[in-house]
Amino acid sequence: MEWHITDAESLAIIDSEIGDHVFSPAEYEIVRRVIYATADFEYKSLIRFSERALQAGAAALAARTTMIVDVPMVQASINYEIQSTFANPVYCSIDTLTRPQKEKTRAAWGIETLAKRYPEGLFVIGQAQTALSTLVDLIEAEEIRPALVIATPAGFINTDTDKERLRDSLIPSITIDSRKGGALVAAAIVEGLVDLAWQAYGKAR
């Protein structure tokens, strides 16, 4: 992320107000990015990191693993960070050409198509709950094994259940344990992860 002095001042305010926490330094960098993007300190208690999620995600970015996102808003938000660092290919499920279908949404059919094409990709589901359901179905069927899944769709129907299924799958994941979320949250997580990966891998190249 390209920082300005006002960004640094805002992050300093977050640091002074967030209070005690149990996050590792790397996890905390992600958490405060989300709080900065949303101005919502409740995310401090809502973000869930699976074991080695950040390590797996950073390694996948450094290896130029293909990224699959659910909606154009996420793709547009992360594109500058990705292209100015590791330049991973990024595909959007809604923009993916599929056969006309009625049983699922465009996002769900697009995720299924791309997941089967890139079964070990890095997936970012920021908005479309139907895409998350489809992705978890494929994981449970052992058809794919993603490097990392970032799942932050906001919603009221099945969202928490799908996130819990994802966590139970033992696939590295970063999720929001709440109805809250959205594309902005997903983008903030990706941007933080890219910066961490660039510090660990990119600058040393």
Side-chain angles (χ1 to χ4, degrees), residues 113-126:
T113 299
L114 291 170
K116 290 181 177 179
R117 193 176 299 166
Y118 306 104
E120 298 181 351
L122 198 163
F123 291 81
V124 185
I125 311 298

Side-chain angles (χ1 to χ4, degrees), residues 26-189:
E27 290 172 343
Y28 177 65
E29 181 62 26
I30 301 294
V31 172
R32 73 173 186 160
R33 291 292 189 99
V34 172
I35 293 173
Y36 180 41
T38 62
D40 188 346
F41 276 87
E42 190 175 354
Y43 279 103
K44 171 187 172 182
S45 61
L46 300 180
I47 297 181
R48 298 286 181 268
F49 298 92
S50 73
E51 186 176 358
R52 296 187 59 78
L54 296 185
Q55 296 92 324
L61 286 168
R64 296 193 72 246
T65 300
T66 297
M67 301 182 67
I68 297 95
V69 305
D70 60 335
V71 293
M73 185 183 299
V74 174
Q75 185 174 22
S77 297
I78 68 174
N79 193 57
Y80 176 80
E81 286 289 314
I82 296 297
Q83 299 310 319
S84 61
T85 53
F86 300 105
N88 304 65
V90 182
Y91 297 102
C92 179
S93 68
I94 284 184
D95 292 338
T96 300
L97 294 176
T98 61
R99 293 179 294 108
Q101 303 287 348
K102 295 182 179 180
E103 294 84 359
K104 294 182 181 179
T105 65
R106 284 176 58 198
W109 278 115
I111 280 289
E112 181 172 323
T113 299
L114 291 170
K116 290 181 177 179
R117 193 176 299 166
Y118 306 104
E120 298 181 351
L122 198 163
F123 291 81
V124 185
I125 311 298
Q127 182 171 308
Q129 185 273 326
T130 56
L132 178 58
S133 293
T134 297
L135 187 67
V136 175
D137 288 343
L138 293 169
I139 291 170
E140 291 180 340
E142 299 184 351
E143 294 187 39
I144 63 172
R145 189 169 183 81
L148 174 71
V149 178
I150 297 171
T152 67
F156 297 91
I157 302 174
N158 295 333
T159 305
D160 288 341
T161 300
D162 289 333
K163 292 174 186 174
E164 188 63 34
R165 291 169 61 205
L166 173 60
R167 288 189 286 265
D168 288 344
S169 73
L170 303 182
I171 293 294
S173 65
I174 304 173
T175 57
I176 303 299
D177 192 15
S178 168
R179 292 174 172 176
K180 290 186 176 184
L184 183 64
V185 174
I189 292 172

